Amino acid sequence: MGGIPLLDYLVVGTLLFGIGLWGALTRTNAIRILMCIELMLNAVNLNLVALNQYLDPGSVEGQIFGLFIIAIAAAEAAIGIGIVLMVVRRRGEVDVNKIRLMRG
């Protein structure tokens, strides 16, 4: 991985995951929560690929798992945004504290 040590990748990935977790737990806007979940998935992806390159530089398993994570993140974003758009059209609200989907 060039001249950048593994610890730098792990620190950046941990910071990104922490920021995403903090945002997902403290935000009330559904779109921001989805963005924070995407940030967490990207942090996991960064750590996964960095560890793969450090532990076994010749293999591509980390990159393959990284592609699976990207595909899962894209599916999660598409489904999540679809659900949010449906709720906004029906309720006119994006704040997750004000939305009660189980009530009619």
Side-chain angles (χ1 to χ4, degrees), residues 2 12 19-21 40 42 48-49 53 62 68 70 75 81 84 93:
V12 170
I19 291 168
L21 182 64
M40 291 167 49
N42 285 328
L48 182 67
V49 172
Q53 281 297 109
F68 283 129
I70 290 170
I81 290 175
V84 169
E93 190 66 50

Side-chain angles (χ1 to χ4, degrees), residues 20-62:
L21 182 64
W22 174 78
L25 294 176
T26 60
R27 300 293 177 212
T28 58
N29 187 318
I31 301 294
R32 286 188 182 173
I33 291 172
L34 287 174
M35 289 173 54
C36 290
I37 292 171
E38 291 292 325
L39 189 62
M40 291 167 49
L41 287 171
N42 285 328
V44 169
N45 213 5
L46 175 67
N47 283 339
L48 182 67
V49 172
L51 279 171
N52 179 62
Q53 281 297 109
Y54 179 75
L55 295 176
D56 191 9
S59 70
V60 294
E61 284 87 7

